[in-house]
Amino acid sequence: MTGGRGDPGLLDRMVLGGLGWLEEARDFFRLPPNVTTDADPNLTLKPLGELAELTQLIGLLHPRDEIRQTARGLFAFAWNETRDGELFAELIRGEPFATYPVELYGVFAQAGLRHAEVDELVHTTTRLRGWRVAREDHTRTLGVLNAERRIGLRQHADFGAVLAQTGLGGLPEPWALDRKTAYGVTHDVFHLTDWGRNRQRLSPELAGYLRLWLPSWLENWLEEELWDLAGELLAVTACLPGAPYDPDAWQRLAGAQTADGSVPEIGSAPATGDRAAAFTACYHSTLVTAFAATLARIASDEAEAGPPAGDTATAGGRTSCESETAP
């Protein structure tokens, strides 16, 4: 890996291509009428929540205005699909112990998009005894805690204590990292740093561990052509102090991006005329690529500019903009 100076032209093309494909795929993010009853959340709410999470960040932080505007349009679309937040009130009334409505609402609340009834409901339900039941998935608990912080709620557990129980917090033996654990480690970093907005939250110990082992993990999953996980690992790399830049890895991920801007989750683009199947196979990896390229672009700009005068101690420690405003 080189220093933090990346290839802005390549990175911007990857973001533009990905967002263009996502724009064309808007209809597949639309929620069905039965979303609160019979629909599978993993096929409906999850894709929309991921679209909102990552386009909100791109629309806030990317240095190019046309990219920010495209991302903000997609984020506004996602909020509109929730009927300006009314959907979350319905979900919470139906499942008061469920965490996913709070996690999804937290994305919008962070951007200043609030719904009065939802705010009232979450202040009640997150204080219920059922909400405080320990969860086996500690990475998921970090996501819940981050959502509570975004909304302005009292966190139901200590973030540091939960982090210590995660795959990242335990500093797992690097040679034994399987695919599931690797995805967990990337999300531990995303929740800890608020998806790259606050990189100074990554401790020197964790940053040193990741800096040492990310190159070999990345090479492994690039060889397997698991582009989705490779993109997440590149996003984690961009969260490190000094943000190392691997030109070969970025060229290989760029080579997986098709002419229409989509990135397959694994291998080559699906050879099918079924647009719905292509969407399922590509939407997450395309979002991740645009997200990772945005973080790498910000880190590259920071490396080019150098540390602010009198602030060398925090160079590379945070994104160029940490304010959280509505798009």
Side-chain angles (χ1 to χ4, degrees):
M1 290 189 181
T2 67
R5 289 175 174 81
D7 182 344
L10 173 72
L11 296 170
D12 289 356
R13 287 194 298 274
M14 294 176 75
V15 180
L16 282 166
L19 291 180
W21 183 83
L22 292 164
E23 277 275 11
E24 291 293 323
R26 272 194 188 200
D27 284 348
F28 294 102
F29 285 103
R30 294 189 187 278
L31 298 178
N34 65 338
V35 69
T36 61
T37 54
D38 301 324
D40 183 349
N42 290 316
L43 300 177
T44 54
L45 291 166
K46 184 174 180 286
L48 188 74
E50 291 167 343
L51 179 71
E53 180 73 71
L54 300 183
T55 57
Q56 197 273 333
L57 180 139
I58 296 169
L60 180 66
L61 297 180
H62 200 284
R64 286 183 55 173
D65 181 67
E66 67 270 34
I67 289 177
R68 291 197 304 273
Q69 292 304 323
T70 301
R72 289 172 181 178
L74 286 164
F75 182 70
F77 161 80
W79 176 244
N80 184 66
E81 282 297 296
T82 73
R83 289 176 275 119
D84 294 344
E86 177 61 29
L87 171 65
F88 299 116
E90 296 175 9
L91 292 171
I92 294 169
R93 285 196 298 266
E95 298 181 82
F97 292 159
T99 61
Y100 72 90
V102 176
E103 294 173 84
L104 293 171
Y105 181 60
V107 178
F108 299 103
Q110 182 177 43
L113 299 175
R114 314 288 298 225
H115 186 286
E117 185 180 1
V118 176
D119 284 334
E120 183 177 350
L121 284 168
V122 297
H123 274 87
T124 299
T125 57
T126 58
R127 283 165 169 73
L128 297 174
R129 289 189 296 276
W131 181 267
R132 297 193 296 270
V133 172
R135 301 176 182 87
E136 292 182 1
D137 187 340
H138 299 292
T139 294
R140 179 69 180 276
T141 301
L142 291 185
V144 176
L145 293 169
N146 202 37
E148 290 174 336
R149 180 193 59 78
R150 288 172 164 186
I151 296 169
L153 301 170
R154 182 181 61 194
Q155 294 189 319
H156 75 278
D158 180 75
F159 194 100
V162 175
L163 176 63
Q165 300 299 314
T166 65
L168 175 63
L171 300 177
E173 289 76 9
W175 45 266
L177 199 75
D178 59 19
R179 183 182 300 187
K180 180 179 179 182
T181 306
Y183 271 113
V185 166
T186 63
H187 281 71
D188 293 337
V189 174
F190 298 153
H191 297 317
L192 175 60
T193 65
D194 196 17
W195 297 81
R197 292 175 179 85
N198 293 304
R199 288 178 272 143
Q200 74 275 15
R201 293 179 181 166
L202 196 61
S203 71
E205 180 185 23
L206 295 180
Y209 171 83
L210 291 168
R211 182 181 291 274
L212 182 61
W213 296 112
L214 274 168
S216 57
W217 295 340
L218 183 57
E219 178 61 29
N220 180 71
W221 279 295
L222 283 170
E223 285 186 2
E224 290 192 12
E225 297 187 343
L226 184 52
W227 309 117
D228 189 68
L229 182 52
E232 292 199 8
L233 291 170
L234 284 168
V236 169
T237 302
C239 291
L240 295 177
Y245 183 82
D246 186 336
D248 177 67
W250 277 108
Q251 286 288 349
R252 290 159 75 179
L253 182 58
Q257 189 170 32
T258 64
D260 65 7
S262 64
V263 178
E265 181 175 329
I266 187 169
S268 302
T272 175
D274 186 339
R275 291 186 65 211
F279 172 79
T280 302
C282 296
Y283 89 86
H284 187 263
S285 40
T286 303
L287 270 169
V288 163
T289 296
F291 163 62
T294 295
L295 293 185
R297 175 69 154 86
I298 293 166
S300 178
D301 285 358
E302 290 178 349
E304 189 69 30
D311 192 27
T312 55
T314 58
R318 53 178 171 266
T319 57
S320 58
C321 176
E322 289 183 6
S323 62
E324 295 166 355
T325 56

